[in-house]
Amino acid sequence: MQTKNVHLMGVCGAGMTPLAVMMKKKGFNVSGCDKNLNQNADILKNEGIKIEKGHSIKHVEGIELLVYSRAIDFSCEELKAAENMKIRIISRGEALKEQIGDRELIGVAGTHGKTTTTSMLVHVLTDNGIRVLGMAGGSPIGWESGLVWSKEGWAVCELDESDRTFLLFKPSLGVITSIEADHIGKYYASEQEVWEAFREFALKSKKCLVHVCDKLTENLAKMKIDGLMTVGKKGYCDFLFEEKDGSAFFKGQKINLKMKGKHNLKNAAVVLAVSEMLGLKIEEAVKSLESFQGVKRRMELVIKTKRCEFISDYAHHPTEIKNAIDSLKDEGKKITAVFQPHLFSRTKEFFFEFARSLSEADEIILLPVYPARENPIEGVDSGLIAEALKSMGRSSTMVFSESELLMLLRKLNPTGIITLLGAGDADLMRENIVRVLKENAND
């Protein structure tokens, strides 16, 4: 029997929303639910997808397939009810694999940069008349749902290493943007296991492009793997780019972006290498990149007042935070960093590294840990980062609610750049933060 009625749990998540829209466009009867509804709920409703807040066993009545995101607690009543009713249950990664089917796939994986790289690549290809199905794990500006829909052509998709589901795929071209220790605990026991997973991904890919930018990608670049090519600043890379005076060049072509951040120039260089592998002229690919509008919550300029700029960024790993703050420091303005740690396990693993990255900001404000799918870990909270900062001779302010944050911003009346960092729900505060910054500017 062909599956028609599908329910997605955690449907407002960055990777789940475009999957739901794609399945709707392919003719499925799609419904979804999430613990908290965000702006993606409106996008889904506009596509004709029924959305419910919270979880209920009623949601699985009459469905033939249940798709869950990794943020879902496996004790959830919907999952238990579906199991009892013998309904087929699969993860987001498994569902994506089934929906891509036998299409030629460019699969973009990596600890950092995969959303921006995927979005840039889809933009460059479509801008040059190449039809693609594009799916990113964020919200590129100009994409309504994180999906560019096409029945034909390449599939260009961001693949998720966090739950190892990227290993389900055998891309025609695999792209690895970076490799660092992350998600240690449930899916990986060590940095070595993370590296081994990416090595397996490279081996599964018919061809693989590795961005040589850290210790683990360097180690992978040294492996003798058929079809593996490299892009980076190392002399041995197959595709070389260089940085000088704050600019980046690929084969003599200067890369100009609307997005802030030196790390985004590196993402662009990866896209240019892929473009050349696909036969595009570099001059045309570089020109296309100039019109790329960016990705929401990736160095996104939310508002600029007479006193300050407010930038929201998804950075939730120490390296990402360092990249974000370093890029902003280049502008020579005071930086106020507001950070919401994401996951108790990641906070426990990296609290000192978080502090070291945040220490480059002039003012540091810490929000409570966003738990996502995790239960609290005894003794683990934002205070670990605050204590580490103190040991470095830096002070920070901890706030415990949105109202406390807004009160503090009113009091500080910051100038320069305020950046909101983290992968949790802190960005839902943006409207109220904007209101306070406007009020300050008018004082």
Side-chain angles (χ1 to χ4, degrees):
M1 182 179 70
Q2 185 177 5
T3 300
K4 291 296 291 183
N5 299 313
V6 182
H7 184 75
L8 287 83
M9 298 175 62
V11 72
C12 290
M16 292 288 280
T17 295
L19 175 63
V21 174
M22 179 171 69
M23 295 185 78
K24 178 70 175 179
K25 291 184 180 297
K26 292 182 72 173
F28 290 87
N29 297 322
V30 181
S31 63
C33 66
D34 213 316
K35 181 180 179 181
N36 297 300
L37 303 185
N38 55 26
Q39 64 273 16
N40 286 341
D42 294 329
I43 293 170
L44 293 163
K45 289 174 183 177
N46 289 338
E47 292 286 343
I49 296 172
K50 183 181 178 182
I51 303 299
E52 300 281 356
K53 182 177 180 180
H55 299 292
S56 168
I57 59 175
K58 293 181 180 180
H59 296 164
V60 300
E61 293 176 359
I63 69 167
E64 295 136 6
L65 176 65
L66 181 65
V67 182
Y68 65 89
S69 83
R70 61 187 175 86
I72 297 298
D73 188 330
F74 287 117
S75 65
C76 180
E77 58 183 341
E78 275 171 273
L79 281 173
K80 289 183 176 180
E83 287 176 351
N84 292 335
M85 297 166 68
K86 308 299 182 186
I87 294 169
R88 186 167 176 246
I89 303 171
I90 60 176
S91 69
R92 174 198 172 272
E94 292 168 317
L96 178 59
K97 183 176 185 295
E98 290 184 4
Q99 296 311 308
I100 291 174
D102 58 1
R103 291 178 75 146
E104 295 283 326
L105 170 65
I106 300 175
V108 183
T111 312
H112 323 297
K114 53 185 178 287
T115 297
T116 301
T117 301
T118 302
S119 307
M120 282 181 175
L121 180 57
V122 172
H123 175 79
V124 168
L125 295 180
T126 55
D127 197 48
N128 283 277
I130 299 174
R131 299 187 68 180
V132 299
L133 164 70
M135 184 178 289
S139 299
I141 296 170
W143 301 23
E144 191 64 23
S145 64
L147 176 77
V148 169
W149 171 247
S150 173
K151 290 183 178 180
E152 301 173 353
W154 288 91
V156 182
C157 300
E158 176 180 341
L159 303 182
D160 192 358
E161 85 287 347
S162 66
D163 59 358
R164 303 180 78 100
T165 54
F166 74 138
L167 296 178
L168 296 171
F169 300 84
K170 296 180 179 180
S172 298
L173 173 57
V175 179
I176 297 175
T177 60
S178 61
I179 309 173
E180 282 198 78
D182 199 5
H183 311 292
I184 304 298
K186 186 173 182 180
Y187 294 102
Y188 302 97
S190 64
E191 179 182 82
Q192 180 64 22
E193 282 195 9
V194 175
W195 181 83
E196 288 173 356
F198 277 97
R199 176 178 175 273
E200 184 178 345
F201 177 74
L203 289 166
K204 284 175 176 283
S205 303
K206 291 179 183 177
K207 291 184 179 179
C208 186
L209 177 71
V210 178
H211 177 208
V212 181
C213 59
D214 50 53
K215 175 185 68 177
L216 298 184
T217 49
E218 284 188 31
N219 291 343
L220 186 58
K222 296 172 184 175
M223 301 291 296
K224 292 184 178 180
I225 297 175
D226 290 342
L228 188 145
M229 301 187 78
T230 54
V231 56
K233 294 185 288 185
K234 301 286 185 181
Y236 59 78
C237 288
D238 299 292
F239 300 95
L240 282 168
F241 72 93
E242 59 178 336
E243 293 178 286
K244 57 183 179 182
D245 301 326
S247 299
F249 299 83
F250 186 93
K251 293 201 165 182
Q253 296 279 322
K254 184 178 179 180
I255 302 172
N256 295 307
L257 298 176
K258 295 181 184 296
M259 301 177 72
K260 291 177 179 284
K262 289 186 291 186
H263 54 292
N264 285 320
L265 294 172
K266 297 176 182 179
N267 295 331
V270 175
V271 169
L272 292 175
V274 174
S275 300
E276 185 164 346
M277 292 175 75
L278 297 178
L280 285 181
K281 293 181 179 179
I282 293 302
E283 296 84 357
E284 293 176 355
V286 168
K287 186 177 180 181
S288 294
L289 280 172
E290 292 178 2
S291 62
F292 179 68
Q293 296 296 313
V295 181
K296 293 178 181 177
R297 296 229 61 221
R298 268 62 174 188
M299 299 297 285
E300 179 190 2
L301 177 60
V302 180
I303 188 175
K304 185 173 183 177
T305 73
K306 292 181 292 185
R307 291 183 58 82
C308 65
E309 295 177 61
F310 173 34
I311 291 169
S312 185
D313 194 85
Y314 195 71
H316 57 285
H317 183 281
T319 299
E320 294 168 344
I321 292 168
K322 183 180 188 304
N323 287 339
I325 293 176
D326 282 351
S327 294
L328 297 174
K329 281 174 64 179
D330 288 344
E331 300 188 26
K333 299 176 181 178
K334 178 184 177 183
I335 298 171
T336 300
V338 182
F339 176 52
Q340 181 188 47
H342 184 263
L343 300 178
F344 291 103
S345 59
R346 186 181 283 124
T347 304
K348 180 181 179 181
E349 181 78 15
F350 293 122
F351 70 89
F352 190 83
E353 288 80 2
F354 280 134
R356 189 160 49 198
S357 296
L358 289 165
S359 68
E360 296 299 314
D362 298 287
E363 192 92 38
I364 304 160
I365 302 171
L366 299 173
L367 293 164
V369 176
Y370 181 75
R373 58 194 175 273
E374 292 186 341
N375 293 319
I377 298 173
E378 186 176 353
V380 177
D381 58 26
S382 299
L384 289 176
I385 302 171
E387 286 299 316
L389 282 163
K390 188 176 180 181
S391 73
M392 300 172 189
R394 293 301 318 277
S395 63
S396 59
T397 304
M398 291 179 61
V399 294
F400 300 93
S401 66
E402 180 177 0
S403 60
E404 284 190 27
L405 174 62
L406 298 177
M407 191 182 304
L408 180 61
L409 290 175
R410 284 192 184 94
K411 178 182 176 183
L412 292 175
N413 198 3
T415 58
I417 297 173
I418 300 97
T419 179
L420 181 62
L421 304 166
D425 61 358
D427 192 62
L428 297 176
M429 305 177 189
R430 71 158 63 192
E431 289 186 12
N432 286 330
I433 293 174
V434 166
R435 177 171 52 81
V436 169
L437 296 180
K438 285 182 175 179
E439 290 171 359
N440 287 349
N442 292 327
D443 285 348

